[in-house]
Amino acid sequence: DAGVIQSPRHEVTEMGQEVTLRCKPISGHNSLFWYRQTMMRGLELLIYFNNNVPIDDSGMPEDRFSAKMPNASFSTLKIQPSEPRDSAVYFCASSFDRASYNEQFFGPGTRLTVL
Amino acid sequence: AQSVTQLGSHVSVSEGALVLLRCNYSSSVPPYLFWYVQYPNQGLQLLLKYTTGATLVKGINGFEAEFKKSETSFHLTKPSAHMSDAAEYFCAVRDAYGGSQGNLIFGKGTKLSVKP
């Protein structure tokens, strides 16, 4: 079975540019999570969807960040405009909360570098 | 509120020695507890989980953890460390409030180094 798929795996962009990160959760999972990981702040939850609806976006740093989940098999995290402090590894994770006791399955991550 | 505390951001052991990574949690509901491992340049993988039943949980790669309610702990152990165990380990507890029941609260992680 395919796991959580993220694209791109690496992204290098210049300050001020728009960045879009993509995630395909595991088929049948109904919850999706976006995390950010940095050396300074560790692993941070940015936003959490359940049945395609955003449940908790309190971790989204500011209005430059937005996330969507138009259907059960696709989600995007957009940063516009990007800044050097957004450089991090962004992880997407999914779970099936009715059967998995909240076990989350993580994608390989997107390493974002903003110059 | 739910929280997780991992004692020690870095732990170093010799190959063949006991591995002990500490995790204490706070939960207002019966906890579901997890240990994840992250190898360099990879995502997090589930090592083991406790939901209900037996308090000693066995996971992959020879790791196990014991749920101790009286101590609010879920420490991760492995009798004999291998070089391939070098990674970062995260303890997590399920969230319990409102619409966030599907969420996990992660600790800050412990980096394990294994010396030859």
Side-chain angles (χ1 to χ4, degrees), chain A residues 33 35 37 39 43 45 48 55-56 91 100-104 106-107 111, chain B residues 32 34 36 38 41 43-44 46 49 51 90 94 99 101-104 106:
Chain A
F33 309 81
Y35 292 89
Q37 187 178 40
M39 290 290 291
L43 189 67
L45 177 67
Y48 155 43
I55 301 299
D56 181 2
F91 290 103
S100 62
Y101 300 102
N102 300 30
E103 176 183 344
Q104 294 182 15
F106 281 74
R111 183 174 296 275
Chain B
Y32 296 159
F34 303 80
Y36 281 82
Q38 184 180 28
N41 301 313
L44 279 68
L46 183 71
K49 64 184 178 187
T51 54
F90 294 88
R94 68 159 174 167
Q101 290 97 332
N103 192 16
L104 291 177
F106 283 89

PDB file of all heavy atoms in Angstrom, chain A residues 33 35 37 39 43 45 48 55-56 91 100-104 106-107 111, chain B residues 32 34 36 38 41 43-44 46 49 51 90 94 99 101-104 106:
ATOM      1  N   PHE A  33      -3.099  15.964   8.842  1.00  0.00           N
ATOM      2  CA  PHE A  33      -2.357  16.889   9.693  1.00  0.00           C
ATOM      3  C   PHE A  33      -1.181  17.472   8.914  1.00  0.00           C
ATOM      4  O   PHE A  33      -0.501  16.749   8.182  1.00  0.00           O
ATOM      5  CB  PHE A  33      -1.801  16.168  10.928  1.00  0.00           C
ATOM      6  CG  PHE A  33      -2.821  15.372  11.692  1.00  0.00           C
ATOM      7  CD1 PHE A  33      -3.187  14.110  11.273  1.00  0.00           C
ATOM      8  CD2 PHE A  33      -3.410  15.895  12.824  1.00  0.00           C
ATOM      9  CE1 PHE A  33      -4.137  13.366  11.964  1.00  0.00           C
ATOM     10  CE2 PHE A  33      -4.352  15.165  13.536  1.00  0.00           C
ATOM     11  CZ  PHE A  33      -4.714  13.906  13.102  1.00  0.00           C
ATOM     12  N   TYR A  35       2.422  19.398   9.744  1.00  0.00           N
ATOM     13  CA  TYR A  35       3.377  19.743  10.774  1.00  0.00           C
ATOM     14  C   TYR A  35       4.560  20.492  10.157  1.00  0.00           C
ATOM     15  O   TYR A  35       4.869  20.328   8.981  1.00  0.00           O
ATOM     16  CB  TYR A  35       3.947  18.481  11.455  1.00  0.00           C
ATOM     17  CG  TYR A  35       2.994  17.688  12.286  1.00  0.00           C
ATOM     18  CD1 TYR A  35       2.234  16.664  11.720  1.00  0.00           C
ATOM     19  CD2 TYR A  35       2.870  17.925  13.652  1.00  0.00           C
ATOM     20  CE1 TYR A  35       1.369  15.908  12.497  1.00  0.00           C
ATOM     21  CE2 TYR A  35       2.013  17.165  14.436  1.00  0.00           C
ATOM     22  CZ  TYR A  35       1.272  16.158  13.853  1.00  0.00           C
ATOM     23  OH  TYR A  35       0.421  15.406  14.627  1.00  0.00           O
ATOM     24  N   GLN A  37       8.755  21.171  11.137  1.00  0.00           N
ATOM     25  CA  GLN A  37       9.836  20.770  12.030  1.00  0.00           C
ATOM     26  C   GLN A  37      11.066  21.625  11.778  1.00  0.00           C
ATOM     27  O   GLN A  37      11.551  21.715  10.645  1.00  0.00           O
ATOM     28  CB  GLN A  37      10.179  19.288  11.868  1.00  0.00           C
ATOM     29  CG  GLN A  37      11.181  18.770  12.880  1.00  0.00           C
ATOM     30  CD  GLN A  37      11.459  17.292  12.721  1.00  0.00           C
ATOM     31  OE1 GLN A  37      11.558  16.781  11.614  1.00  0.00           O
ATOM     32  NE2 GLN A  37      11.562  16.573  13.840  1.00  0.00           N
ATOM     33  N   MET A  39      14.950  22.946  13.840  1.00  0.00           N
ATOM     34  CA  MET A  39      15.864  22.655  14.947  1.00  0.00           C
ATOM     35  C   MET A  39      15.459  23.441  16.193  1.00  0.00           C
ATOM     36  O   MET A  39      15.502  22.930  17.307  1.00  0.00           O
ATOM     37  CB  MET A  39      17.301  23.017  14.546  1.00  0.00           C
ATOM     38  CG  MET A  39      17.894  22.106  13.499  1.00  0.00           C
ATOM     39  SD  MET A  39      18.231  20.472  14.133  1.00  0.00           S
ATOM     40  CE  MET A  39      19.576  20.843  15.241  1.00  0.00           C
ATOM     41  N   LEU A  43       8.896  19.839  16.492  1.00  0.00           N
ATOM     42  CA  LEU A  43       7.753  19.452  15.666  1.00  0.00           C
ATOM     43  C   LEU A  43       6.521  20.244  16.111  1.00  0.00           C
ATOM     44  O   LEU A  43       6.106  20.157  17.260  1.00  0.00           O
ATOM     45  CB  LEU A  43       7.509  17.954  15.821  1.00  0.00           C
ATOM     46  CG  LEU A  43       6.512  17.283  14.901  1.00  0.00           C
ATOM     47  CD1 LEU A  43       7.022  17.300  13.466  1.00  0.00           C
ATOM     48  CD2 LEU A  43       6.279  15.847  15.355  1.00  0.00           C
ATOM     49  N   LEU A  45       2.442  21.296  15.223  1.00  0.00           N
ATOM     50  CA  LEU A  45       1.225  21.070  14.450  1.00  0.00           C
ATOM     51  C   LEU A  45       0.744  22.405  13.897  1.00  0.00           C
ATOM     52  O   LEU A  45       0.550  23.352  14.647  1.00  0.00           O
ATOM     53  CB  LEU A  45       0.140  20.456  15.318  1.00  0.00           C
ATOM     54  CG  LEU A  45      -1.203  20.254  14.629  1.00  0.00           C
ATOM     55  CD1 LEU A  45      -1.108  19.193  13.543  1.00  0.00           C
ATOM     56  CD2 LEU A  45      -2.275  19.880  15.654  1.00  0.00           C
ATOM     57  N   TYR A  48      -5.115  20.847  11.298  1.00  0.00           N
ATOM     58  CA  TYR A  48      -5.656  19.482  11.358  1.00  0.00           C
ATOM     59  C   TYR A  48      -7.030  19.497  10.700  1.00  0.00           C
ATOM     60  O   TYR A  48      -7.868  20.329  11.030  1.00  0.00           O
ATOM     61  CB  TYR A  48      -5.691  19.087  12.833  1.00  0.00           C
ATOM     62  CG  TYR A  48      -6.667  18.051  13.276  1.00  0.00           C
ATOM     63  CD1 TYR A  48      -6.900  16.889  12.561  1.00  0.00           C
ATOM     64  CD2 TYR A  48      -7.343  18.212  14.487  1.00  0.00           C
ATOM     65  CE1 TYR A  48      -7.796  15.938  13.014  1.00  0.00           C
ATOM     66  CE2 TYR A  48      -8.232  17.272  14.943  1.00  0.00           C
ATOM     67  CZ  TYR A  48      -8.451  16.130  14.211  1.00  0.00           C
ATOM     68  OH  TYR A  48      -9.333  15.199  14.668  1.00  0.00           O
ATOM     69  N   ILE A  55     -10.283  21.591  11.529  1.00  0.00           N
ATOM     70  CA  ILE A  55     -10.749  21.498  12.903  1.00  0.00           C
ATOM     71  C   ILE A  55      -9.983  22.445  13.813  1.00  0.00           C
ATOM     72  O   ILE A  55     -10.548  23.108  14.672  1.00  0.00           O
ATOM     73  CB  ILE A  55     -10.620  20.053  13.433  1.00  0.00           C
ATOM     74  CG1 ILE A  55     -11.433  19.088  12.560  1.00  0.00           C
ATOM     75  CG2 ILE A  55     -11.053  19.973  14.891  1.00  0.00           C
ATOM     76  CD1 ILE A  55     -12.913  19.369  12.521  1.00  0.00           C
ATOM     77  N   ASP A  56      -8.673  22.486  13.630  1.00  0.00           N
ATOM     78  CA  ASP A  56      -7.831  23.287  14.511  1.00  0.00           C
ATOM     79  C   ASP A  56      -6.707  23.887  13.685  1.00  0.00           C
ATOM     80  O   ASP A  56      -5.843  23.155  13.213  1.00  0.00           O
ATOM     81  CB  ASP A  56      -7.273  22.408  15.628  1.00  0.00           C
ATOM     82  CG  ASP A  56      -6.393  23.183  16.612  1.00  0.00           C
ATOM     83  OD1 ASP A  56      -6.240  24.404  16.447  1.00  0.00           O
ATOM     84  OD2 ASP A  56      -5.866  22.547  17.538  1.00  0.00           O
ATOM     85  N   PHE A  91       5.823  18.271   7.254  1.00  0.00           N
ATOM     86  CA  PHE A  91       5.302  16.907   7.181  1.00  0.00           C
ATOM     87  C   PHE A  91       3.788  16.922   7.087  1.00  0.00           C
ATOM     88  O   PHE A  91       3.119  17.731   7.725  1.00  0.00           O
ATOM     89  CB  PHE A  91       5.690  16.103   8.420  1.00  0.00           C
ATOM     90  CG  PHE A  91       7.149  15.766   8.501  1.00  0.00           C
ATOM     91  CD1 PHE A  91       7.999  16.464   9.346  1.00  0.00           C
ATOM     92  CD2 PHE A  91       7.674  14.738   7.732  1.00  0.00           C
ATOM     93  CE1 PHE A  91       9.335  16.150   9.423  1.00  0.00           C
ATOM     94  CE2 PHE A  91       9.017  14.419   7.791  1.00  0.00           C
ATOM     95  CZ  PHE A  91       9.852  15.130   8.640  1.00  0.00           C
ATOM     96  N   SER A 100      -7.953   3.575  14.639  1.00  0.00           N
ATOM     97  CA  SER A 100      -6.513   3.489  14.829  1.00  0.00           C
ATOM     98  C   SER A 100      -6.050   4.106  16.128  1.00  0.00           C
ATOM     99  O   SER A 100      -4.855   4.248  16.327  1.00  0.00           O
ATOM    100  CB  SER A 100      -5.807   4.191  13.668  1.00  0.00           C
ATOM    101  OG  SER A 100      -6.152   5.554  13.652  1.00  0.00           O
ATOM    102  N   TYR A 101      -7.015   4.455  17.022  1.00  0.00           N
ATOM    103  CA  TYR A 101      -6.614   5.074  18.283  1.00  0.00           C
ATOM    104  C   TYR A 101      -5.696   6.268  18.047  1.00  0.00           C
ATOM    105  O   TYR A 101      -4.755   6.488  18.790  1.00  0.00           O
ATOM    106  CB  TYR A 101      -5.926   4.049  19.199  1.00  0.00           C
ATOM    107  CG  TYR A 101      -6.823   2.889  19.525  1.00  0.00           C
ATOM    108  CD1 TYR A 101      -6.666   1.674  18.880  1.00  0.00           C
ATOM    109  CD2 TYR A 101      -7.836   3.014  20.469  1.00  0.00           C
ATOM    110  CE1 TYR A 101      -7.494   0.608  19.183  1.00  0.00           C
ATOM    111  CE2 TYR A 101      -8.664   1.946  20.772  1.00  0.00           C
ATOM    112  CZ  TYR A 101      -8.491   0.746  20.120  1.00  0.00           C
ATOM    113  OH  TYR A 101      -9.308  -0.307  20.412  1.00  0.00           O
ATOM    114  N   ASN A 102      -5.981   7.003  17.011  1.00  0.00           N
ATOM    115  CA  ASN A 102      -5.249   8.222  16.694  1.00  0.00           C
ATOM    116  C   ASN A 102      -3.863   7.986  16.116  1.00  0.00           C
ATOM    117  O   ASN A 102      -3.096   8.915  15.989  1.00  0.00           O
ATOM    118  CB  ASN A 102      -5.111   9.141  17.919  1.00  0.00           C
ATOM    119  CG  ASN A 102      -6.426   9.577  18.480  1.00  0.00           C
ATOM    120  OD1 ASN A 102      -7.423   8.867  18.397  1.00  0.00           O
ATOM    121  ND2 ASN A 102      -6.452  10.753  19.072  1.00  0.00           N
ATOM    122  N   GLU A 103      -3.506   6.741  15.779  1.00  0.00           N
ATOM    123  CA  GLU A 103      -2.190   6.525  15.183  1.00  0.00           C
ATOM    124  C   GLU A 103      -2.076   7.309  13.895  1.00  0.00           C
ATOM    125  O   GLU A 103      -2.930   7.205  13.015  1.00  0.00           O
ATOM    126  CB  GLU A 103      -1.975   5.045  14.896  1.00  0.00           C
ATOM    127  CG  GLU A 103      -0.670   4.743  14.180  1.00  0.00           C
ATOM    128  CD  GLU A 103      -0.526   3.282  13.844  1.00  0.00           C
ATOM    129  OE1 GLU A 103      -1.266   2.470  14.408  1.00  0.00           O
ATOM    130  OE2 GLU A 103       0.322   2.963  12.996  1.00  0.00           O
ATOM    131  N   GLN A 104      -1.039   8.100  13.777  1.00  0.00           N
ATOM    132  CA  GLN A 104      -0.818   8.903  12.588  1.00  0.00           C
ATOM    133  C   GLN A 104       0.290   8.298  11.738  1.00  0.00           C
ATOM    134  O   GLN A 104       1.294   7.809  12.260  1.00  0.00           O
ATOM    135  CB  GLN A 104      -0.457  10.335  12.967  1.00  0.00           C
ATOM    136  CG  GLN A 104      -1.591  11.076  13.660  1.00  0.00           C
ATOM    137  CD  GLN A 104      -1.248  12.505  14.003  1.00  0.00           C
ATOM    138  OE1 GLN A 104      -0.285  13.074  13.504  1.00  0.00           O
ATOM    139  NE2 GLN A 104      -2.060  13.104  14.857  1.00  0.00           N
ATOM    140  N   PHE A 106       2.981   9.205   8.817  1.00  0.00           N
ATOM    141  CA  PHE A 106       3.649  10.393   8.310  1.00  0.00           C
ATOM    142  C   PHE A 106       4.187  10.186   6.893  1.00  0.00           C
ATOM    143  O   PHE A 106       4.663   9.095   6.545  1.00  0.00           O
ATOM    144  CB  PHE A 106       4.823  10.775   9.211  1.00  0.00           C
ATOM    145  CG  PHE A 106       4.403  11.498  10.458  1.00  0.00           C
ATOM    146  CD1 PHE A 106       3.786  10.821  11.500  1.00  0.00           C
ATOM    147  CD2 PHE A 106       4.623  12.860  10.589  1.00  0.00           C
ATOM    148  CE1 PHE A 106       3.394  11.493  12.657  1.00  0.00           C
ATOM    149  CE2 PHE A 106       4.234  13.541  11.732  1.00  0.00           C
ATOM    150  CZ  PHE A 106       3.621  12.852  12.757  1.00  0.00           C
ATOM    151  N   GLY A 107       4.159  11.263   6.126  1.00  0.00           N
ATOM    152  CA  GLY A 107       4.831  11.279   4.844  1.00  0.00           C
ATOM    153  C   GLY A 107       6.315  11.549   5.028  1.00  0.00           C
ATOM    154  O   GLY A 107       6.777  11.794   6.145  1.00  0.00           O
ATOM    155  N   ARG A 111      11.327  19.395   2.322  1.00  0.00           N
ATOM    156  CA  ARG A 111      12.333  20.302   2.889  1.00  0.00           C
ATOM    157  C   ARG A 111      12.276  21.617   2.113  1.00  0.00           C
ATOM    158  O   ARG A 111      12.604  21.645   0.932  1.00  0.00           O
ATOM    159  CB  ARG A 111      13.718  19.681   2.822  1.00  0.00           C
ATOM    160  CG  ARG A 111      14.815  20.554   3.457  1.00  0.00           C
ATOM    161  CD  ARG A 111      16.145  19.828   3.499  1.00  0.00           C
ATOM    162  NE  ARG A 111      16.097  18.647   4.339  1.00  0.00           N
ATOM    163  CZ  ARG A 111      16.281  18.641   5.657  1.00  0.00           C
ATOM    164  NH1 ARG A 111      16.526  19.790   6.283  1.00  0.00           N
ATOM    165  NH2 ARG A 111      16.236  17.509   6.334  1.00  0.00           N
TER     166      ARG A 111
ATOM    167  N   TYR B  32      -4.092   7.336  25.383  1.00  0.00           N
ATOM    168  CA  TYR B  32      -3.485   6.515  24.354  1.00  0.00           C
ATOM    169  C   TYR B  32      -2.084   7.089  24.163  1.00  0.00           C
ATOM    170  O   TYR B  32      -1.933   8.290  23.955  1.00  0.00           O
ATOM    171  CB  TYR B  32      -4.245   6.604  23.037  1.00  0.00           C
ATOM    172  CG  TYR B  32      -5.668   6.082  23.076  1.00  0.00           C
ATOM    173  CD1 TYR B  32      -6.589   6.492  22.112  1.00  0.00           C
ATOM    174  CD2 TYR B  32      -6.102   5.185  24.042  1.00  0.00           C
ATOM    175  CE1 TYR B  32      -7.898   6.034  22.126  1.00  0.00           C
ATOM    176  CE2 TYR B  32      -7.412   4.726  24.062  1.00  0.00           C
ATOM    177  CZ  TYR B  32      -8.304   5.148  23.110  1.00  0.00           C
ATOM    178  OH  TYR B  32      -9.599   4.702  23.127  1.00  0.00           O
ATOM    179  N   PHE B  34       1.993   6.803  22.506  1.00  0.00           N
ATOM    180  CA  PHE B  34       2.710   6.369  21.313  1.00  0.00           C
ATOM    181  C   PHE B  34       4.196   6.733  21.441  1.00  0.00           C
ATOM    182  O   PHE B  34       4.552   7.728  22.062  1.00  0.00           O
ATOM    183  CB  PHE B  34       2.162   7.094  20.067  1.00  0.00           C
ATOM    184  CG  PHE B  34       0.691   6.916  19.851  1.00  0.00           C
ATOM    185  CD1 PHE B  34      -0.226   7.670  20.558  1.00  0.00           C
ATOM    186  CD2 PHE B  34       0.227   6.002  18.920  1.00  0.00           C
ATOM    187  CE1 PHE B  34      -1.596   7.509  20.361  1.00  0.00           C
ATOM    188  CE2 PHE B  34      -1.142   5.844  18.710  1.00  0.00           C
ATOM    189  CZ  PHE B  34      -2.041   6.591  19.434  1.00  0.00           C
ATOM    190  N   TYR B  36       7.207   7.278  18.545  1.00  0.00           N
ATOM    191  CA  TYR B  36       7.583   7.333  17.143  1.00  0.00           C
ATOM    192  C   TYR B  36       9.102   7.475  17.055  1.00  0.00           C
ATOM    193  O   TYR B  36       9.745   8.052  17.935  1.00  0.00           O
ATOM    194  CB  TYR B  36       6.945   8.558  16.460  1.00  0.00           C
ATOM    195  CG  TYR B  36       5.495   8.400  16.086  1.00  0.00           C
ATOM    196  CD1 TYR B  36       4.488   8.588  17.028  1.00  0.00           C
ATOM    197  CD2 TYR B  36       5.132   8.077  14.784  1.00  0.00           C
ATOM    198  CE1 TYR B  36       3.148   8.460  16.663  1.00  0.00           C
ATOM    199  CE2 TYR B  36       3.798   7.951  14.418  1.00  0.00           C
ATOM    200  CZ  TYR B  36       2.812   8.135  15.368  1.00  0.00           C
ATOM    201  OH  TYR B  36       1.496   8.002  15.018  1.00  0.00           O
ATOM    202  N   GLN B  38      12.247   8.795  14.323  1.00  0.00           N
ATOM    203  CA  GLN B  38      12.560   9.524  13.096  1.00  0.00           C
ATOM    204  C   GLN B  38      14.035   9.327  12.775  1.00  0.00           C
ATOM    205  O   GLN B  38      14.908   9.802  13.512  1.00  0.00           O
ATOM    206  CB  GLN B  38      12.245  11.012  13.245  1.00  0.00           C
ATOM    207  CG  GLN B  38      12.471  11.806  11.965  1.00  0.00           C
ATOM    208  CD  GLN B  38      12.164  13.281  12.111  1.00  0.00           C
ATOM    209  OE1 GLN B  38      12.279  13.850  13.189  1.00  0.00           O
ATOM    210  NE2 GLN B  38      11.775  13.908  11.013  1.00  0.00           N
ATOM    211  N   ASN B  41      16.563  12.511   7.897  1.00  0.00           N
ATOM    212  CA  ASN B  41      15.967  12.849   6.593  1.00  0.00           C
ATOM    213  C   ASN B  41      14.755  11.995   6.239  1.00  0.00           C
ATOM    214  O   ASN B  41      14.463  11.772   5.058  1.00  0.00           O
ATOM    215  CB  ASN B  41      17.005  12.744   5.477  1.00  0.00           C
ATOM    216  CG  ASN B  41      18.178  13.671   5.709  1.00  0.00           C
ATOM    217  OD1 ASN B  41      17.998  14.837   6.030  1.00  0.00           O
ATOM    218  ND2 ASN B  41      19.383  13.142   5.616  1.00  0.00           N
ATOM    219  N   GLY B  43      10.493  10.791   7.586  1.00  0.00           N
ATOM    220  CA  GLY B  43       9.338  11.125   8.412  1.00  0.00           C
ATOM    221  C   GLY B  43       9.308  10.261   9.665  1.00  0.00           C
ATOM    222  O   GLY B  43      10.183   9.420   9.892  1.00  0.00           O
ATOM    223  N   LEU B  44       8.300  10.487  10.508  1.00  0.00           N
ATOM    224  CA  LEU B  44       8.174   9.726  11.739  1.00  0.00           C
ATOM    225  C   LEU B  44       7.508   8.382  11.457  1.00  0.00           C
ATOM    226  O   LEU B  44       6.563   8.294  10.669  1.00  0.00           O
ATOM    227  CB  LEU B  44       7.326  10.497  12.756  1.00  0.00           C
ATOM    228  CG  LEU B  44       8.026  11.595  13.557  1.00  0.00           C
ATOM    229  CD1 LEU B  44       8.431  12.776  12.694  1.00  0.00           C
ATOM    230  CD2 LEU B  44       7.129  12.062  14.699  1.00  0.00           C
ATOM    231  N   LEU B  46       5.837   4.853  13.444  1.00  0.00           N
ATOM    232  CA  LEU B  46       5.349   4.361  14.715  1.00  0.00           C
ATOM    233  C   LEU B  46       6.213   3.193  15.197  1.00  0.00           C
ATOM    234  O   LEU B  46       6.436   2.230  14.470  1.00  0.00           O
ATOM    235  CB  LEU B  46       3.903   3.910  14.584  1.00  0.00           C
ATOM    236  CG  LEU B  46       3.264   3.435  15.887  1.00  0.00           C
ATOM    237  CD1 LEU B  46       3.032   4.625  16.828  1.00  0.00           C
ATOM    238  CD2 LEU B  46       1.949   2.713  15.614  1.00  0.00           C
ATOM    239  N   LYS B  49       2.531   1.425  20.477  1.00  0.00           N
ATOM    240  CA  LYS B  49       1.465   2.235  21.062  1.00  0.00           C
ATOM    241  C   LYS B  49       0.796   1.463  22.196  1.00  0.00           C
ATOM    242  O   LYS B  49       0.768   0.225  22.206  1.00  0.00           O
ATOM    243  CB  LYS B  49       0.424   2.605  20.010  1.00  0.00           C
ATOM    244  CG  LYS B  49      -0.331   1.415  19.423  1.00  0.00           C
ATOM    245  CD  LYS B  49      -1.271   1.867  18.312  1.00  0.00           C
ATOM    246  CE  LYS B  49      -1.977   0.678  17.691  1.00  0.00           C
ATOM    247  NZ  LYS B  49      -2.782   1.065  16.503  1.00  0.00           N
ATOM    248  N   THR B  51      -2.951   1.435  24.095  1.00  0.00           N
ATOM    249  CA  THR B  51      -4.319   1.951  24.105  1.00  0.00           C
ATOM    250  C   THR B  51      -5.057   1.409  25.326  1.00  0.00           C
ATOM    251  O   THR B  51      -5.456   2.151  26.214  1.00  0.00           O
ATOM    252  CB  THR B  51      -5.053   1.588  22.808  1.00  0.00           C
ATOM    253  OG1 THR B  51      -4.982   0.170  22.597  1.00  0.00           O
ATOM    254  CG2 THR B  51      -4.409   2.288  21.625  1.00  0.00           C
ATOM    255  N   PHE B  90      10.200  10.264  19.570  1.00  0.00           N
ATOM    256  CA  PHE B  90       9.142  11.149  20.042  1.00  0.00           C
ATOM    257  C   PHE B  90       8.077  10.353  20.786  1.00  0.00           C
ATOM    258  O   PHE B  90       7.574   9.349  20.268  1.00  0.00           O
ATOM    259  CB  PHE B  90       8.474  11.880  18.874  1.00  0.00           C
ATOM    260  CG  PHE B  90       9.364  12.850  18.159  1.00  0.00           C
ATOM    261  CD1 PHE B  90      10.174  12.437  17.104  1.00  0.00           C
ATOM    262  CD2 PHE B  90       9.399  14.187  18.531  1.00  0.00           C
ATOM    263  CE1 PHE B  90      10.989  13.334  16.439  1.00  0.00           C
ATOM    264  CE2 PHE B  90      10.215  15.099  17.868  1.00  0.00           C
ATOM    265  CZ  PHE B  90      11.010  14.669  16.826  1.00  0.00           C
ATOM    266  N   ARG B  94      -2.685  11.106  23.003  1.00  0.00           N
ATOM    267  CA  ARG B  94      -3.825  11.596  22.228  1.00  0.00           C
ATOM    268  C   ARG B  94      -4.403  12.831  22.894  1.00  0.00           C
ATOM    269  O   ARG B  94      -4.400  12.952  24.120  1.00  0.00           O
ATOM    270  CB  ARG B  94      -4.910  10.540  22.109  1.00  0.00           C
ATOM    271  CG  ARG B  94      -5.600  10.219  23.421  1.00  0.00           C
ATOM    272  CD  ARG B  94      -6.954   9.587  23.213  1.00  0.00           C
ATOM    273  NE  ARG B  94      -7.528   9.161  24.494  1.00  0.00           N
ATOM    274  CZ  ARG B  94      -8.789   8.808  24.660  1.00  0.00           C
ATOM    275  NH1 ARG B  94      -9.606   8.795  23.615  1.00  0.00           N
ATOM    276  NH2 ARG B  94      -9.237   8.438  25.839  1.00  0.00           N
ATOM    277  N   GLY B  99     -13.163  19.122  19.405  1.00  0.00           N
ATOM    278  CA  GLY B  99     -13.002  18.515  18.093  1.00  0.00           C
ATOM    279  C   GLY B  99     -11.606  18.016  17.829  1.00  0.00           C
ATOM    280  O   GLY B  99     -11.320  17.563  16.722  1.00  0.00           O
ATOM    281  N   GLN B 101     -10.073  15.437  19.214  1.00  0.00           N
ATOM    282  CA  GLN B 101      -9.793  14.085  19.693  1.00  0.00           C
ATOM    283  C   GLN B 101      -8.907  13.314  18.758  1.00  0.00           C
ATOM    284  O   GLN B 101      -8.272  12.361  19.149  1.00  0.00           O
ATOM    285  CB  GLN B 101     -11.094  13.283  19.895  1.00  0.00           C
ATOM    286  CG  GLN B 101     -11.934  13.750  21.055  1.00  0.00           C
ATOM    287  CD  GLN B 101     -13.034  14.668  20.596  1.00  0.00           C
ATOM    288  OE1 GLN B 101     -12.892  15.343  19.582  1.00  0.00           O
ATOM    289  NE2 GLN B 101     -14.130  14.693  21.310  1.00  0.00           N
ATOM    290  N   GLY B 102      -8.864  13.710  17.492  1.00  0.00           N
ATOM    291  CA  GLY B 102      -8.029  12.984  16.554  1.00  0.00           C
ATOM    292  C   GLY B 102      -6.580  13.381  16.595  1.00  0.00           C
ATOM    293  O   GLY B 102      -5.756  12.783  15.921  1.00  0.00           O
ATOM    294  N   ASN B 103      -6.253  14.382  17.388  1.00  0.00           N
ATOM    295  CA  ASN B 103      -4.900  14.921  17.367  1.00  0.00           C
ATOM    296  C   ASN B 103      -4.001  14.194  18.360  1.00  0.00           C
ATOM    297  O   ASN B 103      -4.466  13.566  19.311  1.00  0.00           O
ATOM    298  CB  ASN B 103      -4.979  16.411  17.725  1.00  0.00           C
ATOM    299  CG  ASN B 103      -3.684  17.129  17.443  1.00  0.00           C
ATOM    300  OD1 ASN B 103      -2.836  16.618  16.726  1.00  0.00           O
ATOM    301  ND2 ASN B 103      -3.534  18.308  18.022  1.00  0.00           N
ATOM    302  N   LEU B 104      -2.710  14.280  18.141  1.00  0.00           N
ATOM    303  CA  LEU B 104      -1.715  13.780  19.079  1.00  0.00           C
ATOM    304  C   LEU B 104      -0.906  14.961  19.594  1.00  0.00           C
ATOM    305  O   LEU B 104      -0.607  15.885  18.837  1.00  0.00           O
ATOM    306  CB  LEU B 104      -0.767  12.786  18.416  1.00  0.00           C
ATOM    307  CG  LEU B 104      -1.336  11.425  18.001  1.00  0.00           C
ATOM    308  CD1 LEU B 104      -0.277  10.600  17.304  1.00  0.00           C
ATOM    309  CD2 LEU B 104      -1.897  10.687  19.197  1.00  0.00           C
ATOM    310  N   PHE B 106       2.719  15.824  20.860  1.00  0.00           N
ATOM    311  CA  PHE B 106       4.054  15.257  20.812  1.00  0.00           C
ATOM    312  C   PHE B 106       4.975  15.908  21.830  1.00  0.00           C
ATOM    313  O   PHE B 106       4.873  17.111  22.109  1.00  0.00           O
ATOM    314  CB  PHE B 106       4.667  15.442  19.418  1.00  0.00           C
ATOM    315  CG  PHE B 106       4.136  14.489  18.388  1.00  0.00           C
ATOM    316  CD1 PHE B 106       3.016  14.797  17.642  1.00  0.00           C
ATOM    317  CD2 PHE B 106       4.764  13.272  18.167  1.00  0.00           C
ATOM    318  CE1 PHE B 106       2.516  13.922  16.697  1.00  0.00           C
ATOM    319  CE2 PHE B 106       4.283  12.384  17.219  1.00  0.00           C
ATOM    320  CZ  PHE B 106       3.154  12.707  16.486  1.00  0.00           C
TER     321      PHE B 106
END
